[in-house]
Amino acid sequence: MSVRFDLPDELSASAPPEARGLARDEVRLLVADPAGVHHTVFSALGDHLRAGDLLVVNTSGTLPAAIDARRGRQQVVVHFSTELDDGAWVVELRAPGGPLLDGRPGERLALPGGASLTLLAAYVPGQARLWRASVSVPVPGLLAASGRPIRYGYVPRAWPLADYQTVFAREPGSAEMPSAARPFTDALVTRLVTDGVLFAPLLLHTGVSSLETGEPPQAERFRVPATTAALVAWVRARGGRVVAVGTTAARALESAADGPAEGWTDLVLSPDRPARVVDGIVTGLHAPDASHLLLLEAVAGPELVQRAYDAAVERRYLWHEFGDVSLLLRR
């Protein structure tokens, strides 16, 4: 990873912008393109788009994917990441200090309501953070009854699930919010459409994002419908720009670069595998060791991403899912 910066702790957004007296679309927006870096607010996004540009949005909804569990005498938290094709789930065990790495195959944890979870095997051979697990009851109902949104130490108090949903959310399935779309409001979408900016949906259910340093992104379930693939091709043929709303949308689009597709994607975008379809990306600000930065470099190039992040630190933008947003355009 070539982008380097230091992130002061105080630049982590600790609460939704509404708790700071802002509307969703009043967070700050940093726009970086080959012409330079510009500072504005998200409600002015349309000033930096053109009629005929296409915004591609993820319609995945956020699950209340964190749930308390008993591990013998120890109270732990289980993060439900991804449902697998065989009905097992990928899970992460966590304590206040971070991931627990001492799980054992066959280990059973007690869940609320008399349910139980059994660790089956490491999800990635040789790694101890994520596990394939079976659950004694249907997981969606369990999470609906006893789960809460996943949050990390920089968010000290709990917030309702509604604060972790975007206006585009239709199909629950993401362990963590596809947060780049959070600043969109109904009014802003209406204004953009009226100005000739196009929208197209896709689906990618994101897993837990708390990757260990150097750990590549996990495979994720996605769907790019034929209508979206056709619209992407139509816009590009006419000189419009395809802008992914979020790293999730970018990963799905690039996994369907040759046409509609669905299933599982293990594509890892980086400067070694640059974007072929995506011309720009609306994205939150990512931590210095996040693999998402490689994806941003794949879309906009390392130099532009570095300039954007240097400016964001200098201007004291706020990081993470409740923070400010950037628009990176390579053309």
Side-chain angles (χ1 to χ4, degrees):
M1 191 180 303
S2 59
V3 174
R4 294 286 184 268
F5 62 96
D6 294 321
L7 178 62
D9 290 342
E10 65 269 19
L11 297 188
S12 294
S14 60
E18 297 92 314
R20 308 193 298 270
L22 302 175
R24 284 193 176 213
D25 62 0
E26 289 178 334
V27 297
R28 299 168 73 188
L29 174 67
L30 183 153
V31 181
D33 60 27
V37 176
H38 318 276
H39 303 279
T40 182
V41 294
F42 195 80
S43 58
L45 175 65
D47 294 344
H48 301 276
L49 299 173
R50 302 190 292 256
D53 285 344
L54 174 65
L55 291 173
V56 184
V57 299
N58 186 1
T59 59
S60 180
T62 309
L63 296 169
I67 196 165
D68 292 325
R70 294 293 302 178
R71 189 187 190 200
R73 296 182 179 180
Q74 182 183 18
Q75 185 78 26
V76 301
V77 176
V78 177
H79 286 179
F80 283 84
S81 179
T82 305
E83 184 178 15
L84 301 174
D85 291 337
D86 62 1
W89 278 77
V90 179
V91 302
E92 178 189 39
L93 308 185
R94 293 185 71 91
L100 295 170
L101 305 178
D102 59 348
R104 305 179 308 277
E107 182 178 0
R108 178 174 291 188
L109 287 76
L111 301 176
S116 64
L117 177 150
T118 302
L119 301 182
L120 301 175
Y123 181 54
V124 179
Q127 295 184 8
R129 186 177 68 89
L130 297 176
W131 285 83
R132 293 181 69 254
S134 63
V135 185
S136 63
V137 298
V139 170
L142 175 70
L143 296 181
S146 302
R148 59 185 180 275
I150 289 174
R151 63 186 172 96
Y152 298 106
Y154 54 83
V155 180
R157 58 151 287 189
W159 297 94
L161 182 61
D163 286 334
Y164 291 85
Q165 304 292 7
T166 75
V167 297
F168 306 112
R170 292 296 182 271
E171 186 174 331
S174 282
E176 299 183 21
M177 173 175 52
S179 56
R182 191 184 192 279
F184 282 91
T185 62
D186 294 340
L188 177 56
V189 172
T190 300
R191 190 158 65 247
L192 291 169
V193 169
T194 302
D195 290 342
V197 175
L198 306 172
F199 283 79
L202 53 71
L203 181 79
L204 185 140
H205 289 321
T206 181
V208 294
S209 67
S210 59
L211 302 178
E212 297 297 287
T213 301
E215 184 179 339
Q218 304 297 329
E220 294 170 314
R221 192 187 302 273
F222 82 108
R223 180 173 68 245
V224 177
T227 50
T228 294
L231 189 54
V232 167
W234 185 86
V235 166
R236 289 180 60 80
R238 284 156 181 78
R241 295 174 296 186
V242 176
V243 179
V245 177
T247 56
T248 60
R251 191 183 200 193
L253 276 172
E254 292 295 331
S255 300
D258 297 321
E262 64 178 299
W264 292 86
T265 177
D266 58 3
L267 175 65
V268 177
L269 291 168
S270 71
D272 294 330
R273 198 307 197 174
R276 296 164 50 194
V277 173
V278 177
D279 301 301
I281 186 168
V282 175
T283 179
L285 295 162
H286 303 287
D289 58 352
S291 62
H292 299 83
L293 291 172
L294 288 172
L295 186 150
L296 301 187
E297 292 181 33
V299 171
E303 181 181 348
L304 190 147
V305 177
Q306 185 70 65
R307 283 194 284 117
Y309 273 74
D310 288 344
V313 172
E314 180 183 0
R315 294 292 189 103
R316 299 187 67 78
Y317 277 66
L318 294 181
W319 256 248
H320 302 304
E321 67 268 26
F322 291 140
D324 297 315
V325 185
S326 63
L327 170 63
L328 308 179
L329 295 167
R330 67 180 180 188
R331 67 180 182 92

